[in-house]
Amino acid sequence: MNYSISSRMASMQPSAIREILKNTANPDVIPFAAGNPSPDAFPVKEIENITQIIFGSHPVAALQYSVTEGDGHLRRTVQQFACGREPDLMREEDELIIVSGAQQGIDLTAKCLLNEGDVVLCEDPSFVGALNAIRSYNPRLVGIPMESDGMDLLALEQALKTEKNVRMIYVIPNFQNPSGVTMSLEKRRALYRLAKQYGVVILEDNPYGDLRYEGEHIPAIKTLDTEGLVVYCGTFSKIISPGLRVGYVVANRALMPKIIVAKQCSDVHTCILSQMICDQFLTSCNMDAHFSNLQKIYRAKLTLMLDAMEEAFQGRVAYARPQGGLFVWCTLPQGVDMLEFVQAAMAEKVAVVPGTAFLADQSAPCSSFRMNFSTPANQQITDGVEILGRVLHQFIR
Ligand SMILES: Cc1ncc(COP(=O)(O)O)c(C=O)c1O
């Protein structure tokens, strides 16, 4: 059969990260390319106990169909949890629903708001999974360069002035994937003012907000939202388990019914057993102690990676120390071909992600690559960075 692929999907390529991850299934490959939580970070015992309790008390409910917007008890629990961490996250006119990971929240929001040919502004670089979900609705993606404190707002304002039909600005304000950058409070306020002035929705994606290893918490853009301009996506993937596929969306009640219908078409509802596990975890575990433990694990891994990079790269690779999250964004010296470097590293069994994967325009020149420090074991971090240093020296000589 010669399939005629829809125009929506014809130009879509598999995510570069997923493709690289196929190679990293080989246990000999050092996995700096993934974004998976550390195996040490999973609360295995707690989830085992919780699952037993659920099957002891509500076995049928755990196996039955459920409602699209998410289990009522979990929605209240998550609302309490999210508003406890981000006061003013929700105003009276906002609603919270449960989705199958932030990825679905992004996809459903794009599905509800975008027509073919609309313009979406995003940080450049940005999270490839979100960019691909957005691309599948055939808008034009326009990348706004990143600075050390978030998007270049002059470039953003210029794009808002000159581009027609800008519908959405997609941002990851905390420990951005892939750049590690955190948007300053001043920029969050200014970004919100611009979005309000131009009547454009902000899609705020915050999977890493609770993984802060230094510095002070900065309030979410959604907490500034008096106009229903911000759609906020949260997730338990990085702080409990990505395999559970539980996330949430907070949006104005004028938009939410459409997001719910879109979800109904997509997967009916998020796995109810996962929802019940999350609910029990959030209500029965000491979340502050859990976060302290995660922060301790990741702070140590980040420090290990940065120390190893300092020694191996000897100042030749540029990178900033992220205050949280799971990634370090590295830029090669002029004259080193990034793709050749990534391939040479892969030949030495070290996987990193080429920076082009994260660009709005993937054909644009790029000399950066993304390193993840949560997935590899400590010895792999030390060995892998040393290998990258050796590979780099081959290119510089
Ligand atoms: C910035 C960003 N947004 C969303 C997601 C997707 O998260 P989830 O597992 O909740 O779908 C990820 C996952 O890596 C991410 O890095």
Side-chain angles (χ1 to χ4, degrees):
M1 173 70 188
N2 198 1
Y3 293 104
S4 161
I5 301 297
S6 67
S7 55
R8 165 161 290 159
M9 291 307 293
S11 62
M12 296 288 298
Q13 298 299 323
S15 145
I17 298 181
R18 294 274 141 221
E19 292 305 295
I20 290 171
L21 285 182
K22 281 186 196 159
N23 289 327
T24 61
N26 176 351
D28 295 339
V29 172
I30 296 182
F32 292 152
N36 298 353
S38 166
D40 313 338
F42 291 123
V44 175
K45 211 66 228 133
E46 288 87 342
I47 291 188
E48 187 187 340
N49 291 341
I50 285 171
T51 310
Q52 267 179 13
I53 292 170
I54 291 170
F55 277 101
S57 56
H58 300 99
V60 173
L63 298 171
Q64 189 54 279
Y65 277 119
S66 186
V67 288
T68 303
E69 43 274 66
D71 174 70
H73 197 274
L74 176 64
R75 287 174 71 196
R76 286 190 291 281
T77 302
V78 174
Q79 183 163 334
Q80 236 177 18
F81 164 80
C83 295
R85 304 201 66 82
E86 291 280 359
D88 291 333
L89 186 75
M90 292 182 69
R91 291 190 160 70
E92 225 181 276
E93 57 282 6
D94 285 323
E95 289 177 0
L96 180 151
I97 64 161
I98 303 300
V99 288
S100 304
Q103 179 71 28
Q104 186 180 51
I106 294 161
D107 180 55
L108 298 179
T109 306
K111 189 175 201 170
C112 290
L113 294 179
L114 301 180
N115 285 314
E116 199 169 328
D118 285 345
V119 169
V120 176
L121 307 179
C122 64
E123 296 159 320
D124 213 19
S126 185
F127 170 52
V128 61
L131 299 190
N132 278 345
I134 291 168
R135 282 186 183 110
S136 72
Y137 299 101
N138 284 338
R140 210 159 60 75
L141 257 180
V142 176
I144 307 294
M146 283 296 263
E147 297 176 325
S148 60
D149 59 349
M151 249 184 189
D152 174 347
L153 291 187
L154 287 177
L156 176 71
E157 186 162 17
Q158 188 60 22
L160 285 165
K161 267 189 201 148
T162 53
E163 296 286 349
K164 296 253 176 310
N165 298 330
V166 179
R167 296 283 176 237
M168 201 162 90
I169 306 169
Y170 169 64
V171 287
I172 309 160
N174 292 316
F175 329 121
Q176 201 242 19
N177 178 4
S179 68
V181 164
T182 295
M183 194 187 293
S184 64
L185 182 57
E186 296 70 42
K187 280 207 168 167
R188 292 178 198 218
R189 289 193 179 125
L191 169 63
Y192 181 75
R193 276 197 301 274
L194 280 173
K196 186 168 155 184
Q197 184 184 339
Y198 287 88
V200 176
V201 167
I202 298 172
L203 175 54
E204 180 176 24
D205 184 16
N206 187 21
Y208 303 106
D210 289 310
L211 300 181
R212 177 179 274 286
Y213 319 130
E214 58 185 61
E216 292 294 311
H217 172 78
I218 303 176
I221 302 168
K222 180 68 187 156
T223 66
L224 309 170
D225 187 17
T226 50
E227 313 284 319
L229 279 178
V230 184
V231 176
Y232 178 91
C233 292
T235 178
F236 296 103
S237 283
K238 311 295 175 176
I239 53 176
I240 303 180
S241 147
L244 290 177
R245 309 303 306 133
V246 180
Y248 54 99
V249 173
V250 177
N252 188 277
R253 69 162 78 101
L255 174 62
M256 197 56 106
K258 287 293 174 210
I259 297 180
I260 295 170
V261 175
K263 178 167 169 62
Q264 220 155 52
C265 301
S266 191
D267 67 352
V268 186
H269 64 78
T270 295
C271 168
I272 185 65
L273 175 58
S274 292
Q275 292 191 57
M276 291 167 96
I277 291 171
C278 255
D279 196 8
Q280 278 281 336
F281 191 86
L282 291 170
T283 47
S284 65
C285 291
N286 179 340
M287 291 305 288
D288 287 336
H290 177 63
F291 288 137
S292 297
N293 181 44
L294 295 184
Q295 286 153 2
K296 192 169 138 214
I297 293 171
Y298 291 137
R299 190 183 295 115
K301 281 182 171 291
L302 170 61
T303 304
L304 185 66
M305 179 171 268
L306 292 174
D307 288 351
M309 280 170 37
E310 196 176 321
E311 196 172 323
F313 296 154
Q314 295 172 2
R316 291 184 163 117
V317 173
Y319 50 87
R321 182 189 182 93
Q323 292 196 318
L326 303 180
F327 307 106
V328 184
W329 183 246
C330 298
T331 301
L332 290 161
Q334 253 193 351
V336 177
D337 184 294
M338 185 271 297
L339 281 177
E340 282 179 18
F341 171 81
V342 170
Q343 277 158 1
M346 196 63 221
E348 298 291 330
K349 297 199 162 50
V350 179
V352 301
V353 189
T356 33
F358 303 99
L359 299 184
D361 171 6
Q362 294 183 335
S363 63
C366 180
S367 54
S368 302
F369 60 96
R370 191 192 74 177
M371 300 270 282
N372 161 264
F373 54 86
S374 57
T375 314
N378 289 352
Q379 191 61 49
Q380 288 180 308
I381 292 179
T382 317
D383 295 346
V385 172
E386 194 191 319
I387 294 169
L388 289 181
R390 266 192 271 127
V391 170
L392 180 66
H393 285 252
Q394 290 163 16
F395 279 81
I396 288 175
R397 248 191 277 124

